[in-house]
């Protein structure tokens, strides 16, 4: 979450915009599901369409992730 906050602050964007922009940057994601319960949520999601993350930003966002095995799968 801290990496998302840093990227968002540097861009003057909301964390949700950055998170959705990251999701949209992944070629395997064709239709992210946005659970907008307020008009502001929809506006944030729409602004994310105009955010193109740099390679450095994507690396910074992904750096904290630590892969783990799938549980319950043998």
């Amino acid at each position: 979450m801290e990496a998302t906050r840093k990227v968002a602050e540097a861009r003057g964007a909301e964390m949700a915009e950055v998170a959705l922009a990251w999701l949209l940057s992944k070629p395997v994601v064709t239709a992210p599901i946005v659970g907008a319960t307020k008009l502001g949520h929809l506006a944030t999601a729409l602004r994310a369409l105009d955010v193109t993350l740099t390679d450095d930003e994507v690396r910074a966002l992904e750096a904290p992730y630590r892969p783990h095995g799938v549980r319950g799968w043998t």
Side-chain angles (χ1 to χ4, degrees), residues 1-73:
M1 187 174 343
E2 187 58 31
T4 307
R5 184 182 330 280
K6 286 180 182 179
V7 171
E9 286 176 358
R11 287 180 156 267
E14 293 180 35
M15 290 175 56
E17 290 174 54
V18 171
L20 286 168
W22 175 83
L23 211 83
L24 291 167
S25 76
K26 301 301 167 190
V28 296
V29 178
T30 57
I33 298 171
V34 178
T37 57
K38 298 178 182 173
L39 192 55
H41 296 165
L42 184 57
T44 298
L46 291 173
R47 283 193 305 273
L49 294 172
D50 294 327
V51 177
T52 302
L53 299 170
T54 66
D55 291 340
D56 287 340
E57 289 171 325
V58 170
R59 277 191 289 278
L61 291 168
E62 294 176 354
Y65 177 72
R66 299 293 173 249
H68 51 82
V70 177
R71 295 184 183 168
W73 195 261

